[in-house]
């Protein structure tokens, strides 16, 4: 709706994990470097954790997109699966054919044959399991057994687990201590700082408009940060709404008052995840008379 008004080729704050929009904060850059190092060195297990909305899926998709031709990869998303279903899903992703009605051993044997073939061809094989906190204990134990697929010198399968912080707690548990001990690299994504939030907003706008543009004022960025707590997904939600408000008010910039209006509207819909963020509490309605005709910041009259 507002793309032409602001000169965007597409909406800059869409809630899709498009690698073109990846913003590398210090933590995200570190995590991506961990993943690349794991592939180059043949490390067995890597774990990436982070709160909801911190960009784990986008990071994983970017990593997979950047793999070279000598790496075969499989990506399992939101794996609410049994142990057998998981192995079947992995084989399906790799294109491994197995007999109908076979048990776990049959599927693992087929996977092992595939991995040995790839090893003979000099290729590496990577399995990424996203939202891994949804795996049951017995399924994680099966994942551990997959790490046993190896030669005397090398792992045949590199496994990357990405999930929310409770994944780390699961891996530290007594039941999964053997799996926990196999983790060679671990990294945690954290929310963006205030400065990173401003850089993140400018980055996404630049990608969407193919040019640099300071559409959000400094005070507006602070409002976005207070609302989101630095969580990229919440930044996207708030910024998208703020741009829509600015468009409705015929403003070329998102001011602090525009940001307040956007946050108030999110609050009225029950979308204010952080109560009190931006000076609002849930249930405050949006008033379209918050700005002057010239777009000046005016006090909220609620």
């Amino acid at each position: 709706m507002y793309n032409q008004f602001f000169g965007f080729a597409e909406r800059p704050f869409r809630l899709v994990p498009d690698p073109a929009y990846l913003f590398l904060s210090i933590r995200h850059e570190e995590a991506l470097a961990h993943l690349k190092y794991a592939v180059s060195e043949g490390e067995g297990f890597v774990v990436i954790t982070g709160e909801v909305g911190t960009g784990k899926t986008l990071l994983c998709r970017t990593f997979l997109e950047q793999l070279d031709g000598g790496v075969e990869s499989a990506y399992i998303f939101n794996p609410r699966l049994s142990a057998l279903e998981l192995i079947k899903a992995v084989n399906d992703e790799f294109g491994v054919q197995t007999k109908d009605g076979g048990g776990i051993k049959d599927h693992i044997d087929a996977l092992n044959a595939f991995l040995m073939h790839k090893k003979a061809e000099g290729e590496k094989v990577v399995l990424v399991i996203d939202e891994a906190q949804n795996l049951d204990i017995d399924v994680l134990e099966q994942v551990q057994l997959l790490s046993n697929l190896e030669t005397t010198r090398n792992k045949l399968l590199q496994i990357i687990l990405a999930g929310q912080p409770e994944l780390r707690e699961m891996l530290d548990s007594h039941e999964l201590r053997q799996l926990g001990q196999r983790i060679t690299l671990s990294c945690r994504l954290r929310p963006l700082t205030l400065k990173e939030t401003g850089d993140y907003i400018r980055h996404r706008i630049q990608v969407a408009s193919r040019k640099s543009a300071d559409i959000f004022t400094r005070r507006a960025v602070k409002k976005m940060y207070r609302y989101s707590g630095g969580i990229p997904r919440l930044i996207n939600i708030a910024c998208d709404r703020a741009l829509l408000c600015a468009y409705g008010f015929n403003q070329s910039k998102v001011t602090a008052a525009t940001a307040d209006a956007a946050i108030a509207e999110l609050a009225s819909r029950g979308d204010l995840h952080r109560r009190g963020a931006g000076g609002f509490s849930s249930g405050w309605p949006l008033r379209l008379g918050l700005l002057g005709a010239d777009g000046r910041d005016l006090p909220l009259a609620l």
Side-chain angles (χ1 to χ4, degrees):
M1 182 180 295
Y2 54 67
N3 286 345
Q4 185 174 1
F5 181 79
F6 288 107
F8 300 149
E10 57 190 5
R11 286 167 54 207
F13 298 101
R14 295 175 302 153
L15 297 179
V16 293
D18 185 349
Y21 283 89
L22 177 66
F23 172 76
L24 290 177
S25 69
I26 293 176
R27 287 287 182 173
H28 288 75
E29 187 172 15
E30 177 184 296
L32 188 58
H34 274 60
L35 296 177
K36 293 179 178 178
Y37 176 83
V39 172
S40 65
E41 297 300 316
E43 298 289 347
F45 262 107
V46 180
V47 174
I48 304 294
T49 58
E51 289 290 349
V52 175
T54 50
K56 300 181 295 299
T57 297
L58 177 54
L59 186 75
C60 288
R61 290 188 181 276
T62 301
F63 162 71
L64 292 172
E65 191 175 84
Q66 293 179 358
L67 291 174
D68 60 36
V71 181
E72 187 85 15
S73 65
Y75 179 69
I76 305 296
F77 177 77
N78 202 17
R80 294 185 180 275
L81 306 169
S82 67
L84 177 58
E85 289 171 337
L86 177 65
I87 301 302
K88 285 183 177 180
V90 171
N91 282 349
D92 287 344
E93 283 289 305
F94 284 129
V96 176
Q97 299 296 321
T98 54
K99 295 180 180 180
D100 293 336
I104 288 182
K105 183 180 184 303
D106 299 311
H107 291 281
I108 291 181
D109 287 345
L111 177 60
N112 188 60
F114 166 79
L115 295 174
M116 291 296 292
H117 176 70
K118 289 297 179 180
K119 178 66 177 176
E121 291 184 336
E123 294 188 27
K124 297 178 179 179
V125 183
V126 176
L127 169 62
V128 177
I129 303 178
D130 201 357
E131 300 294 345
Q133 78 282 346
N134 291 326
L135 292 171
D136 292 333
I137 295 294
D138 64 315
V139 182
L140 280 170
E141 290 174 342
Q142 185 61 60
V143 171
Q144 174 197 320
L145 295 179
L146 290 181
S147 70
N148 292 335
L149 301 176
E150 57 190 356
T151 65
T152 56
R153 295 177 60 86
N154 302 103
K155 293 286 187 183
L156 295 176
L157 179 64
Q158 295 168 262
I159 301 174
I160 297 167
L161 301 177
Q164 297 169 23
E166 50 264 38
L167 172 63
R168 183 70 261 184
E169 297 175 7
M170 294 168 66
L171 296 174
D172 288 338
S173 67
H174 180 75
E175 294 88 343
L176 295 174
R177 63 190 182 282
Q178 292 187 44
L179 176 55
Q181 291 170 1
R182 292 173 182 264
I183 296 170
T184 54
L185 291 172
S186 180
C187 189
R188 180 174 181 179
L189 299 182
R190 299 186 183 279
L192 304 180
T193 65
L194 173 58
K195 180 183 182 304
E196 288 173 336
T197 297
D199 292 341
Y200 174 87
I201 292 172
R202 284 187 290 273
H203 167 75
R204 294 192 70 102
I205 288 176
Q206 183 171 353
V207 172
S209 62
R210 312 295 193 265
K211 62 183 179 181
S212 179
D214 285 324
I215 293 177
F216 284 72
T217 67
R218 288 186 179 182
R219 290 180 61 205
V221 169
K222 289 182 179 179
K223 298 283 186 178
M224 297 294 100
Y225 176 71
R226 288 182 61 194
Y227 166 74
S228 67
I231 300 293
R233 184 178 299 166
L234 296 183
I235 296 173
N236 288 355
I237 291 172
C239 285
D240 183 72
R241 181 56 53 179
L243 287 170
L244 184 59
C245 287
Y247 167 74
F249 295 130
N250 198 32
Q251 293 179 235
S252 61
K253 286 186 177 291
V254 175
T255 63
T258 315
D260 280 340
I263 293 170
E265 182 176 357
L266 292 173
S268 70
R269 297 190 313 166
D271 290 342
L272 191 59
H273 295 273
R274 298 172 58 85
R275 182 176 177 84
F280 296 98
S281 60
S282 60
W284 282 33
L286 171 66
R287 298 292 180 87
L288 294 181
L290 296 176
L291 306 179
D294 59 356
R296 291 182 296 112
D297 288 354
L298 299 176
L300 291 175
L302 298 176

